[in-house]
Amino acid sequence: MQKLSKISLVLATAFCGLFWGCYDGETECFPRVSLNFITSERIDSVQFYLNDERVCNGGKGFLSTDEICHSSLSADLFDGLPKDSNKCLSSEEYLSWTNLECFIDEKEYRRSLSSFNLTLGIFSDKGIQKIEMDMTYHTKNRYIIISEQDTTKWYSYSEQSVVYVYDYYGSESTWERIGCYEGYCVAMKPYSEILKENCYDK
């Protein structure tokens, strides 16, 4: 539940500052965006490029990788586990999903994220696949990119069976499906008010 703990830390920091005055220094806040690549296929890695500049590879942004899967035949719920933990079941009935999430804000990017284009480099045993996501992305939003062949299965899960996913991403009905490009589909959801910016000490 690594992601949930991140959100909890943000909330705790916010309440701490509002009600107990834990920190009285000045902060500067920057709009952020997150890009999720989710797939049931076995891949080695994904590279993210904003306006042809690579991000989330150290220095500019942060890349989180985990697996969303069943870890037990008796479990009705999905788990979020570290990638290659060897605890995921994998079959047609029990799919294992690789989830790569790129977080970046305007301080790290060193320029505006109000409008940008996204390119993905997908590395697998099939080779390298370059995907031009032919749309304009905007800051303060969260995006999910998923292969078109995976969408039926991914969106068929009930909120009860993927509580780990829904606690973090929210119900499918809250996402706007934007379109599909070169075999990959994009959905978007605005960040909540408390998470739409990253704040730093001045």
Side-chain angles (χ1 to χ4, degrees), residues 12-195:
T13 303
F15 282 114
C16 183
L18 286 172
F19 299 109
W20 292 292
C22 305
Y23 178 70
D24 57 3
E26 293 187 22
T27 60
E28 189 174 11
C29 299
F30 298 85
R32 65 180 295 194
V33 68
S34 74
L35 305 161
N36 280 81
F37 181 86
I38 299 176
T39 180
S40 65
E41 294 186 358
R42 301 304 299 177
I43 60 171
D44 297 321
S45 64
V46 173
Q47 294 179 353
F48 296 82
Y49 295 84
L50 306 187
N51 296 333
D52 296 322
E53 180 180 2
R54 189 178 172 190
V55 297
C56 292
N57 65 324
K60 289 188 178 181
F62 170 74
L63 183 65
S64 171
T65 305
D66 61 2
E67 289 193 68
I68 301 168
C69 64
H70 286 89
S71 59
S72 169
L73 287 171
S74 61
D76 293 328
L77 305 180
F78 277 81
D79 295 313
L81 300 171
K83 191 173 184 298
D84 300 323
S85 65
N86 298 319
K87 294 183 179 179
C88 287
L89 302 177
S90 184
S91 67
E92 289 188 8
E93 184 178 0
Y94 296 97
L95 288 182
S96 175
W97 300 85
T98 299
N99 175 40
L100 298 99
E101 185 166 14
C102 171
F103 302 89
I104 190 167
D105 62 47
E106 291 186 353
K107 177 179 175 67
E108 297 166 318
Y109 192 50
R110 303 188 185 98
R111 63 182 67 89
S112 173
L113 283 168
S114 61
S115 177
F116 61 90
N117 295 319
L118 173 66
T119 301
L120 300 175
I122 305 167
F123 293 75
S124 69
D125 56 9
K126 299 177 182 177
I128 304 172
Q129 184 180 12
K130 184 179 180 181
I131 304 295
E132 301 279 354
M133 306 302 295
D134 189 20
M135 60 170 283
T136 301
Y137 296 76
H138 299 281
T139 190
K140 300 182 181 180
N141 293 324
R142 173 178 282 158
Y143 295 91
I144 283 181
I145 301 107
I146 186 169
S147 70
E148 194 167 2
Q149 66 184 24
D150 277 340
T151 55
T152 300
K153 185 65 175 178
W154 178 257
Y155 290 118
S156 73
Y157 293 128
S158 69
E159 185 168 346
Q160 291 72 33
S161 66
V162 287
V163 64
Y164 165 78
V165 178
Y166 278 85
D167 278 351
Y168 184 52
Y169 296 108
S171 170
E172 177 198 342
S173 63
T174 66
W175 287 82
E176 177 187 354
R177 297 200 206 182
I178 298 173
C180 299
Y181 311 88
E182 296 189 47
Y184 288 84
C185 299
V186 181
M188 183 275 291
K189 178 181 179 180
Y191 263 119
S192 63
E193 190 67 25
I194 198 170
L195 291 175

